[in-house]
Amino acid sequence: MKDKFQRFMAGRYGVDELGKYSLYLTIALLIIGLFVRSRFLNGITFILVLVLYFRMFSKNYTQRRKENEIFLKYKNQAVRFFNKEKQMTQDRVKFHIYTCPSCGQKIRIPRGKGKIAITCPKCKTEFIKKS
């Protein structure tokens, strides 16, 4: 049986990152569907399962690879955004973040130093703020 399946899958695309995330989404929708009785939700879940199988058994490698690259591009943008926000949140504990009044550059200043003169590294404008 295992050999038959391996021969069947030879030359087919298989599972990639987009397929994995689609599978997770399908499982989440199925679980939500247990509690919320909705034909629309069931229909979306069914269509998603069909798309999953279509992509997995497809022999069109180039098109599936393009789809996966587009997905990864947007996924990486989202991950970078949330990592940046997480880092900024952690930095606010140790630093004040000021904006230069002339050019708008964000400047990180350590907390607890009293009133200090801040020089913008971009435009060299000097301004005084309390840290």
Side-chain angles (χ1 to χ4, degrees), residues 51-81:
V51 170
L52 273 168
Y53 277 114
F54 171 77
R55 290 191 80 252
M56 190 169 38
F57 295 135
S58 174
K59 290 186 177 184
N60 189 351
Y61 275 84
T62 56
Q63 187 63 33
R64 300 296 85 80
R65 195 172 296 131
K66 284 180 187 177
E67 293 167 355
N68 192 47
E69 286 175 6
I70 291 169
F71 168 74
L72 288 175
K73 178 181 135 186
Y74 288 115
K75 179 192 149 222
N76 290 337
Q77 285 178 352
V79 167
R80 275 193 302 266
F81 173 77

Side-chain angles (χ1 to χ4, degrees), residues 63-122:
Q63 187 63 33
R64 300 296 85 80
R65 195 172 296 131
K66 284 180 187 177
E67 293 167 355
N68 192 47
E69 286 175 6
I70 291 169
F71 168 74
L72 288 175
K73 178 181 135 186
Y74 288 115
K75 179 192 149 222
N76 290 337
Q77 285 178 352
V79 167
R80 275 193 302 266
F81 173 77
F82 285 113
N83 284 342
K84 182 180 172 185
E85 290 299 317
K86 178 182 174 185
Q87 186 64 40
M88 286 179 67
T89 303
Q90 290 172 348
D91 283 352
R92 284 194 176 99
V93 173
K94 298 177 186 174
F95 300 97
H96 277 288
I97 299 173
Y98 293 112
T99 304
C100 176
S102 63
C103 70
Q105 173 75 32
K106 289 185 179 180
I107 305 167
R108 233 175 38 163
I109 304 299
R111 288 183 180 267
K113 302 291 182 185
K115 276 191 173 182
I116 57 172
I118 302 167
T119 304
C120 176
K122 187 174 179 181

Side-chain angles (χ1 to χ4, degrees), residues 27-38:
I27 291 171
L29 289 175
L30 285 171
I31 291 171
I32 292 170
L34 291 174
F35 301 106
V36 178
R37 303 289 179 178
S38 168

